[in-house]
Amino acid sequence: MLRLFESWGLITNEAGRLTATAASARYLSGKSPDSVASYIATMKYKSSVRELYEVLRDGGANTWHVWRGVTKSWDALMQTDEFADLNTRGMEERGQVFAPHLATLLDCTDESSIIDVGGGSGVYSAYLLMRYPALTATILERPPVDQLARRCLTERKLYPDRARVIAGDMFVDPLPRDASLHLYSHVLHNWGSDKVRLS
Ligand SMILES: C[S@@+](CC[C@H](N)C(=O)[O-])C[C@H]1O[C@@H](n2cnc3c(N)ncnc32)[C@H](O)[C@@H]1O
């Protein structure tokens, strides 16, 4: 929440010292004549805000509430072809924005191989491979996303020579032991800490 408030310009965080900005003092302080605090307070009765509140109270697990037909589990939907395809396309599109920056910021000079756990289309590994020609990658994904990853990496001419794709479950199957770099991108936020420790 603090990061969110910071990005909204409501607080500043200088070495852990949190300070309300002029905007939040003006609009959110009950003492200010311009306060909209009562208006904001009504939001807590909205179902979407309630859901966020419950997630925070639960310790951050189950952050993806979905509703499609009779299915309410994101995890279950991701194992169906149509949703997995749509979601993986979405991850790929977002990755095309972020992955070039990862490849610029993450120094892989001394790395030999990546294991990209829950790697989706493999877009983050792909950009790292494009920047570091000696690097290889393994994408671990559950079916049917593993097939989508193979397709995307083939289009990028990285599969099968520099990238391989393993179908598996990160909570159950042993990870390949030869990787020097373990990449978890937008993966661990879906579960609580007990389950995350398992991966
Ligand atoms: C939010 S997506 C992130 C994909 C990619 N890492 C990215 O950042 O674009 C989470 C991915 O984790 C995969 N995943 C979820 N549970 C998994 C499991 N138990 N084992 C392996 N992959 C899993 C999903 O199939 C999905 O592609």
Side-chain angles (χ1 to χ4, degrees):
M1 291 307 288
L2 292 176
R3 273 187 190 277
L4 181 64
F5 292 156
E6 200 182 343
S7 74
W8 282 348
L10 297 177
I11 59 170
T12 56
N13 183 349
E14 275 159 32
R17 189 181 158 81
L18 304 174
T19 312
T21 60
S24 58
R26 178 173 178 192
Y27 294 112
L28 298 177
S29 164
K31 294 179 194 149
S32 164
D34 295 328
S35 173
V36 292
S38 303
Y39 171 68
I40 300 293
T42 61
M43 298 295 164
K44 70 182 170 198
Y45 300 110
K46 281 174 71 89
S47 56
S48 54
V49 175
R50 188 87 211 159
E51 201 173 88
L52 183 62
Y53 177 67
E54 293 300 336
V55 167
L56 289 170
R57 274 176 61 99
D58 284 353
N62 194 19
T63 50
W64 274 84
H65 297 268
V66 289
W67 203 315
R68 187 160 193 265
V70 290
T71 313
K72 291 187 189 168
S73 155
W74 181 85
D75 219 36
L77 275 179
M78 272 305 280
Q79 290 171 77
T80 66
D81 288 338
E82 196 191 342
F83 186 81
D85 189 62
L86 178 68
N87 191 74
T88 306
R89 281 174 200 275
M91 298 292 106
E92 164 67 25
E93 287 168 3
R94 182 181 64 179
Q96 285 185 37
V97 178
F98 291 156
H101 298 285
L102 176 73
T104 307
L105 294 168
L106 190 66
D107 182 2
C108 294
T109 316
D110 296 329
E111 306 298 347
S112 55
S113 57
I114 309 167
I115 169 86
D116 188 350
V117 184
S121 68
V123 60
Y124 291 90
S125 288
Y127 274 84
L128 290 170
L129 295 187
M130 289 188 275
R131 173 151 184 222
Y132 294 96
L135 204 56
T136 59
T138 302
I139 319 299
L140 177 77
E141 258 296 349
R142 272 185 325 193
V145 181
D146 65 315
Q147 294 164 27
L148 304 171
R150 277 186 206 99
R151 199 172 68 204
C152 288
L153 291 162
T154 301
E155 281 167 13
R156 290 194 158 105
K157 300 191 183 353
L158 294 169
Y159 180 88
D161 294 340
R162 295 184 58 209
R164 61 179 179 151
V165 179
I166 301 179
D169 185 327
M170 66 181 173
F171 294 122
V172 178
D173 299 312
L175 296 183
R177 303 191 72 84
D178 54 353
S180 63
L181 179 73
H182 289 208
L183 182 63
Y184 288 83
S185 159
H186 302 107
V187 170
L188 298 178
H189 59 293
N190 279 349
W191 295 273
S193 47
D194 287 350
K195 191 118 199 234
V196 165
R197 266 185 219 110
L198 278 178
S199 68

